[in-house]
Amino acid sequence: MFELIKPRRLSPGDTVAITAPASWVDREQVIAASTYLQKLGLHVRLGDTLSEQHGYLAGTDEERARELNAMFADPDIKAIICARGGYGTGRIADRLDYELIRANPKIFWGYSDITFLHSAIGQCAGLVTFHGPMLIDLGKDVHPLTVQNYETLIRPSVLCYMEEISPLQTLVEGEAVGALVGGNISLIASTLGTAYELDTRGKILFIEDIDEEPYRLDRMLNQLKQAGKFADAAGILVCNFNNCVPNKRKISLTLEQIFNDHIVSAGKPTLSGFKIGHCSPNIAVPIGIVAKMSTYDKSLVCMEPGVEA
């Protein structure tokens, strides 16, 4: 088990690299969105994967992994932000150099399909990473809180999620303290049985997803339940499940019924309603940082910032 390490905060003038470790992306859209980073005084370096297409991937597995390894190795790069998710990070997990990553800790940021890499890097390198909005999320009419996430990388602050951000509902009463882990349900399920399987023992697990029909979520949540992921957790945060509605199967269980069957039944303190994931705003979460959740005051509070001062 690795001792946890945090990346250093950013300073104006630092270089941030943008990569596409999963699906290909509209390069011009990324360039336009990168102005948000430039306004913070950061220099932006675009990876070659932003110009690559290999089927639905942003280049071959070798190309995407090589770029990510090179960005961690480059001392001039202080943070790595993923342009988008989609699909493909699980394909490159075996090609990453985790000793290199641990020896060169820096901010790694993304969500959705990036969940697989969060799990892999956290468990194989012991590095705190960030589940947060990617550049394709920074388009027109972006929520101020979504943009504000990036400011915490320059001016470190402690995540304190209260109902001022969004209404929270208690599913199982209680309090829990543990390291934050989790992300996209589809990707968490895909880690099972691999060397990168998400470890939830004594931790606060947060989950989210998008465009998954209830029966598909039922299948994945059942798999996670049978793998002990909910029973092992100290507490559970049910985040945004955007457009997870019946389509193929119109007669359906509700999400509430599915959560009751697989999550509430574990009996662990559980809150729902967090704006984390495929939603607006999309609040960033430092993965690996110890936090306290309480259903009594409906809060999630990290014990420290996700970056070193």
Side-chain angles (χ1 to χ4, degrees):
M1 194 69 179
F2 291 103
E3 180 181 352
L4 189 72
I5 53 175
K6 297 195 296 185
R8 291 195 63 81
R9 57 171 285 187
L10 295 177
S11 297
D14 282 347
T15 296
V16 175
I18 312 300
T19 188
S23 293
W24 58 269
V25 68
D26 183 332
R27 181 183 173 89
E28 295 307 313
Q29 182 182 4
V30 172
I31 292 174
S34 67
T35 59
Y36 287 100
L37 301 177
Q38 293 166 347
K39 290 177 182 177
L40 294 175
L42 301 170
H43 296 301
V44 175
R45 184 185 301 178
L46 302 179
D48 293 337
T49 53
L50 302 185
S51 302
E52 297 294 331
Q53 288 189 26
H54 179 65
Y56 37 73
L57 303 169
T60 65
D61 295 343
E62 180 182 2
E63 289 169 334
R64 288 177 289 117
R66 183 173 62 240
E67 177 167 280
L68 192 50
N69 283 328
M71 287 178 173
F72 271 104
D74 190 333
D76 292 332
I77 294 173
K78 305 303 181 184
I80 302 168
I81 295 177
C82 298
R84 67 159 298 175
Y87 170 74
T89 59
R91 294 175 57 116
I92 67 172
D94 286 343
R95 297 171 180 262
L96 298 184
D97 186 336
Y98 297 102
E99 290 185 5
L100 168 73
I101 292 172
R102 182 166 177 80
N104 298 274
K106 57 190 65 177
I107 293 162
F108 179 72
W109 182 288
Y111 75 108
S112 194
D113 195 70
I114 312 304
T115 294
F116 202 105
L117 294 185
H118 287 313
S119 183
I121 292 172
Q123 295 185 147
C124 298
L127 175 66
V128 171
T129 59
F130 295 85
H131 182 282
M134 295 176 285
L135 286 192
I136 62 168
D137 297 314
L138 304 184
K140 291 183 178 180
D141 303 321
V142 61
H143 196 286
L145 288 179
T146 299
V147 179
Q148 188 176 317
N149 286 305
Y150 287 98
E151 296 181 9
T152 65
L153 300 180
I154 294 178
R155 294 176 283 276
S157 62
V158 172
L159 173 64
C160 182
Y161 198 120
M162 309 292 283
E163 285 200 293
E164 287 80 5
I165 298 176
S166 65
L168 301 176
Q169 298 80 43
T170 298
L171 301 187
V172 181
E173 284 194 349
E175 295 182 333
V177 176
L180 287 166
V181 296
N184 185 269
I185 277 287
S186 305
L187 275 298
I188 294 173
S190 75
T191 69
L192 298 183
T194 74
Y196 316 105
E197 181 171 329
L198 186 68
D199 182 3
T200 65
R201 291 173 295 180
K203 300 175 182 178
I204 296 177
L205 171 65
F206 68 95
I207 56 174
E208 66 88 32
D209 219 315
I210 185 173
D211 294 338
E212 294 286 2
E213 292 196 49
Y215 81 94
R216 292 172 60 88
L217 288 174
D218 190 343
R219 181 182 66 233
M220 291 182 280
L221 290 170
N222 182 58
Q223 185 181 10
L224 292 175
K225 178 180 70 175
Q226 293 182 349
K229 299 307 175 183
F230 301 129
D232 287 346
I236 301 167
L237 310 176
V238 178
C239 303
N240 195 264
F241 282 78
N242 192 352
N243 196 38
C244 291
V245 296
N247 185 18
K248 182 178 180 180
R249 289 174 170 81
K250 295 295 186 182
I251 300 177
S252 172
L253 294 175
T254 65
L255 291 186
E256 181 181 7
Q257 288 174 310
I258 294 168
F259 293 151
N260 282 337
D261 289 342
H262 301 307
I263 298 175
V264 173
S265 62
K268 300 304 175 77
T270 305
L271 277 171
S272 70
F274 292 90
K275 289 287 190 178
I276 298 171
H278 295 79
C279 52
S280 180
N282 179 1
I283 304 301
V285 175
I287 295 178
I289 293 296
V290 173
K292 178 182 179 180
M293 62 168 289
S294 173
T295 66
Y296 304 118
D297 57 12
K298 293 185 177 178
S299 65
L300 172 69
V301 181
C302 286
M303 302 302 187
E304 57 183 319
V307 293
E308 294 285 2

